Amino acid sequence: MAVRPVLKMGEPRLFEVSEAVSEEEFETVELRSLIADMFDTMAALEGAGLAAPQIGILKRVVIFGVAENSRYPQVEPVPMTVLINPVVEVLDTATEEDWEGCLSVPGMRGLVERASHIRYSGYSETGAPLRREAKGFHARVVQHECDHLDGILYPMRIPDLRNFGYEDALFPEQPH
Ligand code: NI
């Protein structure tokens, strides 16, 4: 288990499409240690989520979860989750805009429109199927993390780039 360096925007691997985890890979030492490293890295950097390509592993594995997070003081908790080979289905045409950040884009925030209500499915680290509905911040985190698996970083989804900037300039009243 280890905290791994997080690739930053500009690194070509972040724009790749990641590969599905095969059946034989479930419950292997490699997959288990990848997930352990992802949790260590996310915790060390106080992230709400992390995708395997962010640590340079081009596999369709994401983790997310928020108990109480100093980076997101106003958000509702999200269950700590490992999601492998995820599929996201939009359940409602409603969308909402909110500020996002990313460990691969440190110090910055952008206003991104996301589907408000989704269903997501995939597999846990043992290969057990998982299927949930999510709204609001939970739905946003899942969409953001799954985008990483297709090589999409949130700045690519900001419709108006005036709503993209440095945290301390955008939110001067908040502690950084
Ligand atoms: Ni991200």
Side-chain angles (χ1 to χ4, degrees), residues 117-140:
H117 186 193
I118 64 167
R119 177 185 295 130
Y120 62 91
S121 54
Y123 299 90
S124 76
E125 59 186 307
T126 61
L130 186 119
R131 187 176 158 97
R132 276 187 201 143
E133 278 190 34
K135 289 183 169 176
F137 180 72
H138 184 175
R140 175 173 301 275

Side-chain angles (χ1 to χ4, degrees), residues 4 10 22 32 38 42 47 70 86 109 112 135 138 148 162 164 172:
R4 305 264 290 261
S22 70
R32 258 200 295 268
M38 288 172 69
M42 182 172 84
S70 61
R109 292 290 168 95
V112 182
K135 289 183 169 176
H138 184 175
H148 278 295
R162 286 173 296 189
F164 180 46

Side-chain angles (χ1 to χ4, degrees), residues 39-97:
F39 273 111
D40 287 350
T41 305
M42 182 172 84
L45 300 173
E46 297 190 324
L50 190 73
Q54 290 182 277
I55 58 168
I57 306 296
L58 299 182
K59 291 280 179 185
R60 300 188 82 79
V61 178
V62 301
I63 63 169
F64 50 85
V66 179
E68 253 178 73
N69 187 314
S70 61
R71 288 185 73 206
Y72 304 95
Q74 277 92 31
V75 303
E76 67 264 34
V78 176
M80 212 44 89
T81 303
V82 176
L83 186 62
I84 298 172
N85 298 344
V87 175
V88 173
E89 204 185 326
V90 174
L91 294 181
D92 196 306
T93 54
T95 60
E96 56 196 50
E97 282 191 325

Side-chain angles (χ1 to χ4, degrees), residues 132-147:
R132 276 187 201 143
E133 278 190 34
K135 289 183 169 176
F137 180 72
H138 184 175
R140 175 173 301 275
V141 169
V142 173
Q143 291 170 84
H144 174 118
E145 296 313 326
C146 291
D147 263 357

Side-chain angles (χ1 to χ4, degrees), residues 97-120:
E97 282 191 325
D98 210 343
W99 293 94
E100 294 189 13
C102 180
L103 297 175
S104 294
V105 192
M108 302 192 81
R109 292 290 168 95
L111 198 58
V112 182
E113 191 174 11
R114 299 281 187 187
S116 310
H117 186 193
I118 64 167
R119 177 185 295 130
Y120 62 91

